[in-house]
Amino acid sequence: MSSPYTRRHAVKLFAATGIGAVGVLGAAHRASAAPAPGIVKPLPPELFTVRGTNAETRFEALRGTGFHTPLDRFFVRNHTATPRLDARTWRLRIRGSGVAAPRAFTLAELKALPAVERSAFLECAGNGRSFFDSQQGQAVTGTAWRLGAIGSARWRGARLSDVLRLAGVRPEAVDVQPTGLDAAFVSDGENLGHVRRPLPIGKAMDDVLLAYEMNGEPLPYDHGYPVRVLVPGWVGVASVKWVGDIEVADRPLASPWNTDFYRLFGPAYPSPEGSAPLTRQTLKSAFELPEGAELRAGRTHHLTGRAWSGRGRVTAVHVRTETGGGGGGRGWGASSWARARLHDDPRTADWVRWSLPWRPRHPGPAALLARTTDSDGTRQPVGTVFNEQGYLFDAIVRHGVRVV
Ligand SMILES: Nc1nc2c(c(=O)[nH]1)N[C@H]1C(S)=C(S)[C@@H](COP(=O)(O)O)O[C@H]1N2
Ligand SMILES: [Mo]
């Protein structure tokens, strides 16, 4: 059986700009010269790089901020634009062939259920996508993120499993599909409907939250106010923002977000339907330094960064430096991999902060490399197997700096 959506969508999707952005921005933003990305919070350039309708966190802006990403610098990935929903009229409908007692919840009803608080990262499946091109010379479609399409927060909300039980979830249920209340996504003139993606019932009943707080505050508009789904460790798109409807079905569900997008296509994935729909995020590491940062020779620098994996705990981070070059035909000298100090107890689906001192000796261009190993036994490879939409980049990234 072929998927109900053609692959054509895949190459067109990311060409779309801020559809629906008009009318949601505050006066301060309308006054600014930059094209309106449809995001409510301020996007100062020292905290974010704006990419179309999205805003990428600058990793250097996380240095010294503590474990969780402050809300003023948490990345935003919007298919269209942030809606400003009214919590008083908001409802969450639970319906479909997989529930015996369909019903709706108000925010107060959701908050009356036992609250769960947990820390988890949220990362876009396309995080690191730009390195397919810049490190591997491969053209891929989609937002050209560097490594900042990730943040970690302390989430608080109701368990999705509690809500499903209250709606009489049936043993025959197989898929649970949350839908967002943001504008329908139009790709090349074709309306793909609201952002929605099926979640297998096993994951839905496990550790998924209906989150209404982030770092102790109500969810900001841009991150799903008043309620979003939070699927720990999985591709960001599973964590549907502004959720208003959840269909529970006794048969598999499909949407463009699990047929055309968020699968791997390419020579390594010969099936015309691509890989299975993506679930868990992969592993990465990043330096809290600007690209091209200048570091003084003969001084000890406290290199800091973050490492994470969606498949298990981070067990080690190693750092290597490459110096030399200089342009005169001299080769680059590479240090061996040194073990960085981890500053947090590694936990599944969250990140750890790490650090390592470095004393560069000679001025010139240099590259910093960090490599994560996780409890799944996976270690960041030298290259990532190509896929057309540039998902799940996991290779070691060369971070260019200059020793002066
Ligand atoms: N309703 C809705 N949910 C959504 C999206 C969206 O555009 N609309 N984007 C998804 C994607 S692709 C990602 S990576 C995360 C980003 O969450 P954030 O913007 O809170 O960082 O939200 C997901 N949930
Ligand atoms: Mo994403």
Side-chain angles (χ1 to χ4, degrees):
M1 203 182 80
S2 71
S3 81
Y5 301 95
T6 65
R7 296 292 323 293
R8 202 166 56 79
H9 296 144
V11 285
K12 300 282 169 57
L13 168 62
F14 300 100
T17 50
I19 298 155
V22 179
V24 302
L25 295 178
H29 275 225
R30 239 178 274 123
S32 92
I39 292 172
V40 171
K41 69 181 169 186
L43 303 173
E46 63 283 9
L47 303 185
F48 292 105
T49 306
V50 175
R51 304 191 187 281
T53 55
N54 316 295
E56 173 170 0
T57 302
R58 286 190 186 273
F59 247 94
E60 61 267 33
L62 298 182
R63 191 172 162 114
T65 56
F67 185 80
H68 289 123
T69 311
L71 301 183
D72 69 348
R73 58 204 73 188
F74 204 103
F75 86 103
V76 181
R77 194 290 186 242
N78 279 352
H79 282 73
T80 60
T82 296
R84 292 185 196 241
L85 301 181
D86 183 346
R88 289 166 306 184
T89 53
W90 175 87
R91 297 287 183 277
L92 176 61
R93 281 200 306 156
I94 315 289
R95 62 180 178 91
S97 57
V99 287
R103 59 167 286 183
F105 289 82
T106 64
L107 185 56
E109 286 169 334
L110 208 61
K111 286 185 172 175
L113 299 177
V116 176
E117 204 166 74
R118 73 159 291 168
S119 175
F121 70 67
L122 178 72
E123 183 186 20
C124 185
N127 196 23
R129 179 182 281 126
S130 66
F131 300 106
F132 277 101
D133 176 14
S134 64
Q135 291 198 168
Q136 306 189 171
Q138 294 161 336
V140 294
T141 57
T143 303
W145 304 108
R146 294 176 60 81
L147 291 171
I150 181 170
S152 173
R154 188 161 49 85
W155 310 92
R156 183 179 169 86
R159 286 188 195 89
L160 175 58
S161 59
D162 286 345
V163 164
L164 296 183
R165 281 197 196 94
L166 285 170
V169 63
R170 299 171 54 224
E172 294 81 8
V174 297
D175 267 350
V176 174
Q177 177 161 271
T179 299
L181 292 165
D182 42 338
F185 182 63
V186 178
S187 171
D188 194 34
E190 190 160 3
N191 191 334
L192 301 184
H194 295 280
V195 172
R196 63 201 186 281
R197 188 175 195 261
L199 197 59
I201 186 76
K203 182 67 174 172
M205 296 299 284
D206 181 15
D207 59 354
V208 178
L209 292 189
L210 291 164
Y212 43 74
E213 273 182 28
M214 205 174 166
N215 295 349
E217 296 190 35
L219 277 189
Y221 283 123
D222 296 308
H223 299 293
Y225 180 86
V227 177
R228 82 176 301 162
V229 178
L230 192 272
V231 186
W234 280 36
V235 287
V237 70
S239 293
V240 171
K241 302 193 275 189
W242 312 294
V243 60
D245 178 274
I246 298 181
E247 178 181 1
V248 186
D250 61 5
R251 69 203 138 75
L253 296 174
S255 93
W257 287 270
N258 78 335
T259 56
D260 276 12
F261 312 125
Y262 304 100
R263 287 184 185 230
L264 307 177
F265 294 96
Y269 308 95
S271 162
E273 311 214 327
S275 71
L278 300 182
T279 59
R280 288 185 292 172
Q281 283 291 122
T282 185
L283 76 179
K284 293 189 185 66
S285 48
F287 289 88
E288 295 171 338
L289 268 183
E291 180 63 19
E294 296 194 343
L295 302 168
R296 285 234 170 274
R299 294 233 193 113
T300 300
H301 299 275
H302 189 63
L303 300 178
T304 64
R306 306 202 181 217
W308 61 95
S309 171
R311 309 191 248 222
R313 286 171 291 107
V314 170
T315 53
V317 178
H318 291 85
V319 172
R320 196 174 81 141
T321 58
E322 294 181 1
T323 53
R330 286 185 291 137
W332 286 60
S335 71
S336 54
W337 290 101
R339 206 176 172 117
R341 192 178 138 215
L342 302 186
H343 295 264
D344 302 294
D345 282 338
R347 276 171 307 193
T348 301
D350 219 331
W351 61 15
V352 294
R353 291 169 292 177
W354 52 262
S355 70
L356 188 93
W358 181 48
R359 192 179 173 86
R361 281 183 294 184
H362 307 295
L368 307 176
L369 292 77
R371 186 188 71 190
T372 296
T373 307
D374 70 19
S375 57
D376 192 41
T378 311
R379 160 185 282 186
Q380 283 188 264
V382 169
T384 300
V385 176
F386 170 80
N387 70 88
E388 291 170 11
Q389 296 172 83
Y391 294 129
L392 301 187
F393 188 86
D394 61 354
I396 298 162
V397 169
R398 284 174 59 94
H399 187 116
V401 298
R402 173 160 287 276
V403 180
V404 294

